[in-house]
Amino acid sequence: MTIDAMHWVWNQSTTTGNPRLVLLAIADKASSAECTVRMGTTELRARLNASKSVVVNAVDKALASGELLMVAPAVGSRAATYQLPYAVGYRRPTPGSTGPDSGPLSQSYRSGIETPNAHQGSGIRTGSENARGPESGPGGSGIETPRGPESGPLHQTTPTRSGSKQDGPPTTAAATVIPAFAHPLVGMINRAGYDTLRWNNLDSAEWLIIHALIKAHGTERLARFAIEQCQQRQITYGRYFISGWKDLAVVHDDTPEGVSRLPALRPVPSPAPSPAVARRNASRDYLDELSAQLRAGGSQ
């Protein structure tokens, strides 16, 4: 997976400079199919051979591009966990392949060989009727020489990319429209002055996560968190907020509206008397008892 992830960074990533080096450093260590890596600032500094401020700035730019995600933040001595989301499932083209790994060759790379029917011979045709090879004998064999694409020979000797380089992160047709339940959230963030954020790179699974987070925390709390993040750093894609929203503590409040719960009242125990007070009380009790005995004897 490491080679595939690095191939994706080299050929598909839109980042440049230090953010691209951060992606390459993480891809070099990615050994799982999920392309997740636990890596701290110290290790990134060693790989980039740069200062802490340069590394932190490069990581922030890579996160803002959407091509790097922070799956779990750093806690104590435990490093943060990063993911290359667009490298998940990516496979580099097989060496010597003549086209993309998935799907048929494009129309411009087809040889144009056609067999009209079984009664008319092979009927081999080229992409252009004007390009004909030499005939094999008198009358000709009728087999026309196939011609490769206009830009090169018929058979490629170098592997092609699995897809053209994109101008931005890939999107799906289902995720190009913001769902209705997210309109209030996106609207609050836009009204705060951050209406240039791009939300069209989220897939349906991520919108479902946001829907659950809205139910758990409320629209206003998620919007406030997103605005605070935008004030601290330059953010381009709305996907950046999902990991932070997941870390928000859930506030449980089962008290009915308008009712204030007070703690149950408990009796306060009386303080134990001091030794001197205890002696005085014992002496007083003895004198009272003696007086009662004398009164009882005098009355007889």
Side-chain angles (χ1 to χ4, degrees):
M1 190 61 205
T2 296
I3 300 177
D4 293 327
M6 293 188 68
H7 190 279
W8 179 87
V9 176
W10 283 119
N11 295 276
Q12 303 294 328
S13 174
T14 60
T15 56
T16 59
N18 289 330
R20 191 180 187 90
L21 292 179
V22 169
L23 296 184
L24 286 171
I26 293 175
D28 180 61
K29 195 176 178 181
S31 58
S32 65
E34 291 78 16
C35 292
T36 55
V37 172
R38 189 179 300 279
M39 188 175 296
T41 304
T42 302
E43 185 174 356
L44 282 170
R45 288 184 60 188
R47 286 173 174 262
L48 270 68
N49 193 22
S51 64
K52 180 179 180 180
S53 60
V54 172
V55 170
V56 171
N57 186 45
V59 171
D60 287 343
K61 289 183 178 180
L63 290 171
S65 71
E67 295 181 1
L68 178 67
L69 289 181
M70 181 183 291
V71 179
V75 178
S77 59
R78 192 174 186 180
T81 301
Y82 298 99
Q83 182 187 41
L84 301 174
Y86 301 119
V88 176
Y90 177 84
R91 294 292 181 271
R92 66 190 186 282
T94 304
S97 63
T98 59
D101 288 346
S102 60
L105 294 174
S106 62
Q107 186 66 33
S108 61
Y109 283 82
R110 295 180 181 175
S111 65
I113 298 176
E114 302 175 357
T115 303
N117 54 54
H119 303 289
Q120 298 181 4
S122 64
I124 297 177
R125 302 287 188 273
T126 62
S128 171
E129 292 295 333
N130 296 326
R132 297 177 180 270
E135 298 180 352
S136 59
S141 65
I143 300 178
E144 300 176 0
T145 305
R147 186 177 63 175
E150 297 293 338
S151 58
L154 178 63
H155 298 288
Q156 269 183 268
T157 57
T158 58
T160 60
R161 295 183 182 179
S162 60
S164 60
K165 189 170 184 179
Q166 302 173 357
D167 295 333
T171 60
T172 59
T176 56
V177 179
I178 299 175
F181 64 80
H183 286 173
L185 173 62
V186 176
M188 285 185 182
I189 299 173
N190 290 346
R191 287 192 295 273
Y194 302 103
D195 53 352
T196 58
L197 286 171
R198 297 176 61 182
W199 299 89
N200 61 346
N201 65 329
L202 275 70
D203 55 33
S204 57
E206 289 170 319
W207 281 120
L208 289 177
I209 293 174
I210 293 177
H211 193 196
L213 291 170
I214 292 174
K215 290 183 177 180
H217 303 291
T219 300
E220 183 177 352
R221 189 178 184 194
L222 298 187
R224 189 185 311 115
F225 174 86
I227 293 169
E228 290 174 355
Q229 294 298 309
C230 291
Q231 291 172 346
Q232 296 174 12
R233 56 180 59 86
Q234 183 179 358
I235 299 174
T236 307
Y237 298 97
R239 174 186 280 122
Y240 175 83
F241 306 121
I242 295 179
S243 60
W245 284 338
K246 288 181 179 179
D247 294 335
L248 292 176
V250 179
V251 179
H252 297 284
D253 187 8
D254 300 329
T255 304
E257 185 177 356
V259 177
S260 299
R261 289 191 175 182
L262 297 176
L265 298 178
R266 293 178 296 177
V268 179
S270 300
S274 64
V277 174
R279 285 195 297 271
R280 285 198 301 269
N281 292 338
S283 298
R284 185 175 57 202
D285 293 341
Y286 176 74
L287 291 174
D288 290 342
E289 183 179 356
L290 184 60
S291 297
Q293 290 177 357
L294 290 175
R295 284 194 301 272
S299 62
Q300 292 178 355

